Amino acid sequence: MTIGFSSRAAAATCAFCVAGTLALGLAAGAGADPGAPGGPGGPGAPGGPRVTAPRPSVLYRSGTQVRPHRGAPEVPDVSALSWLVSDAQTGEVLAASNAHRKLPPASTLKTLFALTVLPVLPGEIRHRVSEEELSGIGPGSSLVGVTEGHTYQVADLWRGVFLNSGNDAVHVLASLSGGWRATAARMQAKARSLGALDTHVLSPDGYDTPGQVSSAYDLAVFGRAGLRNPDFARYCGTAEASFPGDGGWSYEIANTNRLLTGADGVEPYPGLIGIKNGYTSNAGNTLVAAARQGDRTLVVTVMNPQDGGGFEVYEEARALLDWGFAAAGRVDPVGSLDALRVRPWPLPGPGPKPASPQKSTPAPGAPPVAVAPPVTGTAAVAAGDAPGWREAALIAGAAVLGGTAVALVLWLAGRRSAGR
């Protein structure tokens, strides 16, 4: 018996091949993170962090980036090598210049140190300082006066970090949280989790170290995140405090952020919340400042002004804050402080029912913490998260390809019979 295939049957066979291939391709694609190379879950297994490839951002371009509406105020002419103005609540970047330029951060890196260590060291803990904990402090470091053999509350040490930028206090707190190198590694991981990809941590206190860098973008990310921590917000907004000395007496310390205190002839900025300033010979003057006016909070970063004296960093921050409050609602954002943040990849299956969002009480002036609603219904299915979709597609694709293979075998057998 001769078994033959018509041209119409051959076309149907090809159609089966295409259908099977498409079904399998769609099934594989449903499990892949479109923004991550290497398949489902990207660099990690399913359940690990979801790393998405961001779209090209104008914030990576050099020069000033702003998208003004008609009638918006002009961006002030500032001399800083890098600067950024952002909305603390939404994360929108209103304007920036060389936002991702990698520069030495000086003591503004202490913002990342606090974000990393504050949650694990409650202020009520009391600790007797050892000689070893004060070793390795860089020459010329700013100090608050921590002494060996003295017992301090951790809250005292944090005030020394935020107000006096005390590297001695940082060394003791880093020792309490696992050691100098371990703290630097945890700071690096924290920066990555926040999407601060320009930062390279080598010295947790911000002391000049070859290769240690951050950027105006990253420092704004740290400052904004800090405002969501009530302890951080309280410490960074404290203008004056008492610090324990020997023999039961104490002495006054003042915040070195002149926009907050108005010291050295710098006019204090209305509504200033605080955050952190810094200086080293390599970094020049650096500043992360936050201020609130009405229902809007802005975070501004200024790195290494090239004009003026040592206080020019405050005047350039003042000009940028003034512009930001005047321009809010009259410019389109040029980027977002959330753009590079690592988001978790959902586990397969329906999973547990999401818990009700917990209310938190941010510090006065801090932006509210936004809680995103869970993805449900049609949106979840469209995102490829519906349980069983990928499995069904794989089975369908395999069935179609199997049927196609059988048809091809019969067709080839028919051709051999016909040729005999």
Side-chain angles (χ1 to χ4, degrees):
M1 180 175 67
T2 300
I3 301 174
F5 260 48
S6 65
S7 59
R8 203 175 285 179
T13 300
C14 291
F16 271 116
C17 289
V18 172
T21 304
L22 284 174
L24 288 174
L26 286 171
D33 181 356
R50 180 184 182 185
V51 182
T52 58
R55 292 183 299 172
S57 169
V58 298
L59 293 180
Y60 282 95
R61 299 176 186 172
S62 60
T64 300
Q65 306 300 323
V66 63
R67 292 171 175 162
H69 299 174
R70 180 177 297 180
E74 290 189 8
V75 175
D77 183 17
V78 297
S79 67
L81 295 180
S82 177
W83 57 263
L84 183 144
V85 182
S86 61
D87 186 295
Q89 182 171 348
T90 65
E92 292 177 345
V93 178
L94 307 183
S97 179
N98 304 314
H100 287 285
R101 180 172 179 178
K102 296 179 181 181
L103 296 167
S107 285
T108 52
L109 192 65
K110 290 182 171 77
T111 56
L112 177 59
F113 173 74
L115 281 176
T116 306
V117 178
L118 258 174
V120 299
L121 287 181
E124 307 79 40
I125 294 175
R126 298 185 65 83
H127 174 68
R128 183 180 178 88
V129 175
S130 68
E131 178 182 3
E132 182 182 2
E133 290 169 334
L134 295 175
S135 64
I137 299 174
S141 289
S142 54
L143 305 172
V144 69
V146 178
T147 57
E148 173 195 348
H150 193 94
T151 299
Y152 299 89
Q153 273 197 330
V154 165
D156 292 325
L157 298 174
W158 279 120
R159 283 186 280 270
V161 170
F162 277 93
L163 276 68
N164 261 47
S165 206
N167 287 4
D168 47 357
V170 172
H171 272 255
V172 175
L173 290 168
S175 176
L176 286 173
S177 63
W180 196 248
R181 291 186 179 180
T183 300
R186 288 169 52 214
M187 289 170 65
Q188 189 71 69
K190 181 68 172 179
R192 291 294 180 268
S193 73
L194 293 170
L197 308 183
D198 304 319
T199 299
H200 186 204
V201 182
L202 294 171
S203 184
D205 54 5
Y207 191 81
D208 272 341
T209 305
Q212 179 159 272
V213 292
S214 190
S215 68
Y217 180 93
D218 286 11
L219 292 174
V221 168
F222 304 150
R224 180 191 180 213
L227 293 181
R228 286 164 158 74
N229 181 312
D231 291 330
F232 184 110
R234 183 176 66 255
Y235 288 130
C236 81
T238 300
E240 296 177 344
S242 295
F243 193 81
D246 290 330
W249 61 278
S250 61
Y251 52 93
E252 295 298 310
I253 57 175
N255 201 311
T256 55
N257 182 351
R258 276 80 171 179
L259 276 186
L260 180 67
T261 63
D264 300 313
V266 176
E267 188 72 20
Y269 192 83
L272 196 85
I273 297 171
I275 304 190
K276 193 73 187 73
N277 60 309
Y279 172 82
T280 66
S281 55
N282 282 344
N285 287 283
T286 58
L287 175 67
V288 185
R292 185 176 182 85
Q293 293 185 10
D295 60 354
R296 188 177 300 277
T297 300
L298 298 181
V299 175
V300 165
T301 310
V302 180
M303 300 190 75
N304 201 351
Q306 300 298 288
D307 296 338
F311 300 147
E312 182 66 15
V313 68
Y314 301 110
E315 300 311 320
E316 295 196 358
R318 182 194 311 278
L320 291 171
L321 284 167
D322 285 344
W323 175 86
F325 285 117
R330 303 167 70 183
V331 296
D332 290 328
V334 294
S336 170
L337 298 182
D338 291 319
L340 305 176
R341 185 186 296 269
V342 175
R343 293 171 175 81
W345 178 259
L347 292 171
K353 183 180 179 181
S356 299
Q358 296 181 350
K359 294 182 179 180
S360 60
T361 305
V369 181
V371 179
V375 179
T376 58
T378 306
V381 175
D385 294 333
W389 192 94
R390 269 171 272 173
E391 290 82 356
L394 284 168
I395 293 169
V400 173
L401 283 181
T404 303
V406 172
L408 283 174
V409 169
L410 293 175
W411 180 62
L412 289 172
R415 285 181 61 88
R416 291 194 194 98
S417 300
R420 287 177 181 172

